[in-house]
Amino acid sequence: MVPPETSAGEDTRVWIGRISPGRESEHKQFVDWLNGPEAAETFRRRRLTEYQLSEDAGELTVVFKAPHTGDPRIMIDFLRYPGVWPEYWEFQRGGRAEDVPAPAGGTVRVHWRRDS
């Protein structure tokens, strides 16, 4: 897995979960959507600076970043936005990148970074 770029001006969070058994085809369609322009616009509207989804044998790691403002609402709003967290993604753990290191390995399936 290639770690996303780092910046002192960003707040980085990690979400770790898995794909519900039998839902792999829906997940594949969702990954296709995540790689498209509608998802990119959603990331922009949610004020993210970067989004990366990695997958390893059904295990998922999402690393997402937003400007470090001291206000956690950007991250909270993104985590609450149902359009980017399908019901067949089962949450296991998550938090700040420094508290919940992303697992090593996996294939990057989605990587979006806001244009400068």
Side-chain angles (χ1 to χ4, degrees), residues 7-67:
S7 169
E10 293 175 313
D11 187 5
T12 303
R13 303 297 170 106
V14 177
W15 182 99
I16 298 172
R18 62 180 308 17
I19 303 166
S20 298
R23 308 291 294 269
E24 294 81 9
S25 66
E26 291 167 278
H27 168 70
K28 182 189 176 317
Q29 290 175 355
F30 185 65
V31 168
D32 290 344
W33 180 83
L34 285 170
N35 278 303
E38 189 177 342
E41 185 56 31
T42 298
F43 298 150
R44 274 188 209 82
R45 281 194 327 266
R46 299 278 117 199
R47 300 183 289 171
L48 294 187
T49 55
E50 189 167 6
Y51 176 97
Q52 180 173 295
L53 167 67
S54 300
E55 184 178 341
D56 185 18
E59 300 293 319
L60 305 171
T61 302
V62 176
V63 177
F64 54 102
K65 299 179 180 187

Side-chain angles (χ1 to χ4, degrees), residues 66-77:
H68 183 67
T69 63
D71 181 355
R73 285 183 287 183
I74 293 174
M75 296 304 197
I76 292 167
D77 288 349

